[in-house]
């Protein structure tokens, strides 16, 4: 990925994070996006980070494994994989790391940390999926997957009480899948 593309992604995700903090401040009067205001369960911070991080990584690894399985098994998934390769282009390991980190933190801050407490988990998951609307109909399975994953991330946020699980899951999915897209030639 060229420096300009990575700079553009950084700017986009920076704006999304700024929007998240602005939304939370205006809507709830707080900059605390990290903690769910009404969680199912709230663990002490260090334990929450550990448990949430582990749960998020486990979920992310399962999603990444499912991606590999579908690409190797189904023609539509292979076609989608090849399309992503042409859209993304070659990525360095540093680019993959940067994109996975930027997207996971900014998107989770916005969709889970800012939107979910205000509009609910279902609407936030739908909004998450809708921003993954593709440049063509052949990408519709990706959008549907993003909606389903959005529901799971919303559940992780509510269940664990903070953003550690959704951020870890999102990072793991993006990190593993960007490497897979970059390296695997069906």
């Amino acid at each position: 990925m060229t420096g300009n593309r990575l700079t553009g992604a950084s700017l986009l995700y920076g704006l999304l994070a700024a929007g998240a903090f602005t939304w939370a401040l205006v809507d709830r009067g707080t900059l605390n996006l990290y903690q769910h205001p009404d969680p199912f369960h709230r663990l002490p911070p260090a334990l929450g980070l550990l448990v949430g991080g582990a749960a998020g990584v486990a979920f992310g690894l399962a999603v990444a494994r499912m991606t590999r399985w579908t690409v190797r098994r189904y023609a539509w998934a292979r076609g989608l994989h090849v399309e992503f390769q042409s859209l993304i282009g070659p990525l360095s390991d540093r680019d993959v790391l940067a994109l996975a980190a930027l997207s996971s933190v900014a998107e989770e801050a916005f969709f889970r940390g800012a939107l979910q407490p205000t509009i609910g988990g279902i609407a936030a998951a739908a909004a998450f999926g809708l921003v993954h609307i593709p440049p063509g109909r052949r990408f519709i399975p990706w959008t549907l997957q993003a909606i389903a994953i959005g529901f799971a991330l919303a559940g992780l946020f509510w269940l664990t009480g903070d953003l550690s699980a959704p951020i870890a899951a999102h990072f793991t999915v993006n990190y593993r899948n960007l490497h897979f897209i970059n390296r695997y030639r069906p």
Side-chain angles (χ1 to χ4, degrees):
M1 178 175 262
T2 65
N4 288 341
R5 286 175 61 196
L6 190 55
T7 301
S10 298
L11 179 61
L12 173 70
Y13 289 126
L15 290 171
L16 189 61
F21 283 108
T22 302
W23 181 293
L25 187 60
V26 169
D27 183 64
R28 297 192 311 272
T30 182
L31 292 175
N32 183 1
L33 299 171
Y34 187 73
Q35 292 183 313
H36 193 292
D38 188 27
F40 177 76
H41 186 72
R42 187 174 312 282
L43 296 170
L47 186 59
L49 183 62
L50 182 65
V51 170
V57 168
F59 176 78
L61 289 172
V63 170
R65 182 174 273 275
M66 182 62 75
T67 298
R68 283 155 179 70
W69 182 80
T70 57
V71 167
R72 290 183 174 117
R73 184 167 175 129
Y74 298 106
W76 65 265
R78 281 188 297 281
L80 191 60
H81 183 88
V82 170
E83 289 288 336
F84 274 119
Q85 284 176 331
S86 67
L87 279 175
I88 295 170
L91 299 170
S92 70
D93 289 344
R94 188 178 131 242
D95 292 339
V96 168
L97 179 64
L99 287 173
L102 291 168
S103 63
S104 62
V105 172
E107 290 182 25
E108 293 311 312
F110 187 78
F111 292 102
R112 257 49 74 189
L115 288 186
Q116 185 171 332
T118 304
I119 66 174
I122 293 171
F128 177 75
L130 291 176
V131 301
H132 291 84
I133 288 183
R137 288 189 307 179
R138 63 193 172 278
F139 288 94
I140 294 297
W142 179 57
T143 302
L144 296 175
Q145 179 188 19
I147 292 170
I149 290 171
F151 282 116
L153 296 173
L156 284 170
F157 183 41
W158 176 69
L159 285 170
T160 62
D162 65 51
L163 286 177
S164 61
I167 288 172
H170 198 145
F171 174 84
T172 303
V173 169
N174 286 1
Y175 184 79
R176 300 279 299 166
N177 283 347
L178 285 170
H179 272 298
F180 183 59
I181 289 167
N182 205 33
R183 294 186 176 138
Y184 180 71
R185 303 285 182 246

